[in-house]
Amino acid sequence: MNYKEYRTAARRHLDTCEYMLDYLDKISYADSYDKENILADIYYLSGYVIECIATYAIKTLELTQSRDSRKIHNFQHNDIPLLRKNIQKIDKPIENLIKNSYVKYLYQAWNPKVRYIEMNPFRERDIRKFVELCKSIYQIIDEVVK
């Protein structure tokens, strides 16, 4: 995968999450099983927004480092401190976003294994706020790394 495709994937995942949240309003409460599963999928996919945009940033950073510099690899979304350490312009804005987020626990709990959760254990309001957090992180990283 070309490193630039990670940026495209992050945007696509974010657009999909926002579309699914809009659709969620059209589901009747009688279809709560569908709604809970859609919320679980939104949570799963929104974590990949962060992982993809951060991977894009790290791959971009690796290309600008000299050959003698230590390469950044094996990145995971909740390893953002590694990214913040290497791209100083995003350090404080992202640190403050996460620290002050109402849904910080969703950020910390996310991992690829959440895709196996059959029913969503989180409230809709929290999932919506988590998507907003992911969008903000995406925007900060995208603006700095361009």
Side-chain angles (χ1 to χ4, degrees):
M1 184 173 197
N2 179 318
Y3 78 98
K4 292 179 182 177
E5 291 173 340
Y6 285 102
R7 181 176 181 256
T8 303
R11 183 73 239 179
R12 189 177 64 244
H13 295 331
L14 182 57
D15 290 346
T16 300
C17 288
E18 290 176 331
Y19 176 82
M20 288 171 32
L21 285 171
D22 288 344
Y23 174 78
L24 201 59
D25 293 333
K26 295 171 179 66
I27 296 176
S28 72
Y29 284 97
D31 297 328
S32 62
Y33 178 80
D34 290 339
K35 188 172 185 174
E36 291 303 312
N37 282 309
I38 291 169
L39 283 167
D41 288 344
I42 292 168
Y43 176 56
Y44 166 68
L45 196 55
S46 58
Y48 275 113
V49 171
I50 298 173
E51 189 162 308
C52 286
I53 195 65
T55 300
Y56 164 73
I58 286 172
K59 295 297 182 185
T60 302
L61 178 64
E62 284 180 350
L63 292 174
T64 61
Q65 289 180 335
S66 71
R67 291 189 182 263
D68 297 331
S69 297
R70 192 175 127 254
K71 291 258 184 188
I72 301 170
H73 59 283
N74 296 327
F75 173 79
Q76 292 184 344
H77 107 284
N78 55 3
D79 200 8
I80 282 211
L82 174 66
L83 179 60
R84 289 188 352 236
K85 178 181 172 191
N86 286 280
I87 303 178
Q88 299 300 317
K89 289 180 185 177
I90 67 170
D91 187 28
K92 285 296 177 197
I94 290 182
E95 180 182 354
N96 289 337
L97 262 178
I98 294 167
K99 183 173 73 173
N100 297 321
S101 175
Y102 168 76
V103 291
K104 177 170 64 174
Y105 72 98
L106 287 177
Y107 170 82
Q108 293 168 336
W110 190 92
N111 70 62
K113 292 179 184 175
V114 299
R115 69 177 166 248
Y116 301 115
I117 298 172
E118 186 173 335
M119 293 293 282
N120 171 44
F122 306 115
R123 295 183 310 220
E124 179 180 341
R125 179 183 70 169
D126 295 349
I127 298 289
R128 288 182 181 277
K129 292 224 178 265
F130 184 63
V131 171
E132 289 174 24
L133 174 66
C134 294
K135 183 176 184 174
S136 296
I137 291 171
Y138 170 90
Q139 290 170 334
I140 290 168
I141 294 173
D142 188 49
E143 186 62 34
V144 170
V145 177
K146 276 186 182 176

